[in-house]
Structures are given as C-alpha cells and as structure tokens.
Amino acid sequence: MPTISMFYGIIIRMYREIGGQHKIPHIHAEYQGEEVVVSLEGDALEGGIPKKKQSLVVAWVNIHYDDLLANWNLLEKGEKTFTIEPLK
C-alpha cells in the first residue's frame, strides 16, 4: 500500500480497492497498529485510532482535500499517487 504522508506517528495511505466496500473517496490512517478509514469529507467510515490522533487526521484531510481528491482521481485511472505534505 502506498504511503502518501506521515506525521506524528500516523501513516496515511490511499490505494485502489477494486470492488472495495468503501465506494467514496477515502484514506486509511494507521497509528500504533490501529486503523481508521476516513472519507475526504472527514467522516470516519470504519475503525478508529485514539481521538486526538484521529482529530489530527481529519484536520489534515480538510487542509489537503484538493490534493487528496487529485490522488483519488489518479487511482481511479490506475495511475500512481503522489505524496502530500505532512501536518506540521
């Protein structure tokens, strides 16, 4: 799974899920072995990580919405994603 960003111990991934259960644009955020799936609208779709870390993920998604949507569109075409600036 391609990593598109990392910050504060959180790994952010976005990958193509052909026939996957989440039909809307989303990212996967992993922290210390736990994972949450977050839509590009900032909603948790599945799983969970500690609340403070999840809040950081949602803030990052809101800041980088346009880049994330561009990455999602690349995936839809079967192309590679690009990395996105971490939260600072």
Side-chain angles (χ1 to χ4, degrees), residues 17 21-22 27-29 35-39 43-49 54:
E17 296 175 307
Q21 66 183 19
H22 307 113
I27 55 107
H28 297 253
E35 184 178 350
V36 63
V37 178
V38 177
S39 75
D43 300 316
L45 302 175
E46 181 181 348
I49 60 176
Q54 193 160 319

Side-chain angles (χ1 to χ4, degrees), residues 6-64:
M6 291 174 41
F7 50 90
Y8 302 110
I10 304 166
I11 300 169
I12 306 291
R13 295 185 172 103
M14 181 184 278
Y15 51 92
R16 194 167 181 203
E17 296 175 307
I18 298 171
Q21 66 183 19
H22 307 113
K23 307 292 185 211
I24 61 174
H26 64 278
I27 55 107
H28 297 253
E30 184 181 328
Y31 179 75
Q32 295 184 347
E34 296 181 62
E35 184 178 350
V36 63
V37 178
V38 177
S39 75
L40 298 195
E41 302 303 323
D43 300 316
L45 302 175
E46 181 181 348
I49 60 176
K51 191 172 185 166
K52 288 182 181 181
K53 297 296 183 178
Q54 193 160 319
S55 294
L56 291 174
V57 170
V58 170
W60 180 83
V61 166
N62 288 330
I63 292 166
H64 295 288

